[in-house]
Amino acid sequence: MEPSELKVVRYEVADHVATVTLDRPHRMNAWTGRMHAEHRAALSWADADPDVRAVVVTGAGRAFCAGADATALSGHVEAGGYDPGTPDDMATPGHGVRAEYDHAFAWHYGLRVPVIAAVNGPAAGVGLVLACYCDLRFAAAGAKLTTSAPRLGLPAEYGLSWVLPRLVGIGHAADLLLSSRVVRAEEAATMGLVNRVLPPEEVLPAALSYARTLATEVSPVAVRTAKAQLYADLHGDVGTAVARSEDLLDEMVAGPDFAEGVAAWQGRRTPRFPPDPAR
């Protein structure tokens, strides 16, 4: 798939930040198989582009993503089974890093760039899944969030039973997964589900500003490394995490980014980090 083939996702790059916009505003950006494929393609381009140092994912119009499209849900009922409606040749961003990441949405953990969700409105079902697999979440004041699944007679989707306890703790995760009640962004922030709550018109600008800070003021190598550590260490033990961090420290202190970071700090100037050679 090429950028010119996108129909339900928009992909733009400016100031070292890729913006991925779910673009079905007339349907509150309800998720379809095509959107799934296009979102994966867009993230694969961002992760492979050395000019991109951070990604922001948002929704067009008044919603982030209202969950699976109702037509698709009805189709599953009629068919008596689940059909994701996705092509066989979808892009595979984040794959090949760890076996456990090579699954739907979990591949976000294998990306080399940080991903920020600008939750500009309702995020339900798979829309909440997408937000949870991003590294940070900025949400519009009053935005409604829900897992949806139990009300539809479905299980926790796409590993939410693993993700949510790590974001909000077991008690809050049980609340959200068992009841599928709607929580607004303000309550979600008290749980730790979202990082910031802002007026709706400020969500995307704030997410882009944060992404530009990551793109210009911190080492892309260090960001890639820290993200890899964060998710790998969730699957391991503290001793391994400490030992690995010591090995990385020995490796990175001899690198050009550390030298530039120290020089910028001593010179009281903005650092000029080179592109990540791994990309």
Side-chain angles (χ1 to χ4, degrees), residues 25-41:
H26 60 294
R27 298 290 293 167
M28 296 181 69
N29 305 316
W31 197 258
T32 64
R34 183 170 187 97
M35 182 176 282
H36 194 144
E38 291 190 9
H39 176 257
R40 286 173 66 133

Side-chain angles (χ1 to χ4, degrees), residues 71-89:
T71 302
L73 293 175
S74 297
H76 300 329
V77 174
E78 293 172 6
Y82 177 70
D83 177 4
T86 53
D88 294 331
D89 59 345

Side-chain angles (χ1 to χ4, degrees), residues 56 118 138 196 198-212:
V56 172
F138 291 8
R196 297 185 189 176
L198 303 116
E201 67 277 7
E202 295 180 16
V203 174
L204 181 56
L208 289 171
S209 176
Y210 186 96
R212 284 192 292 268

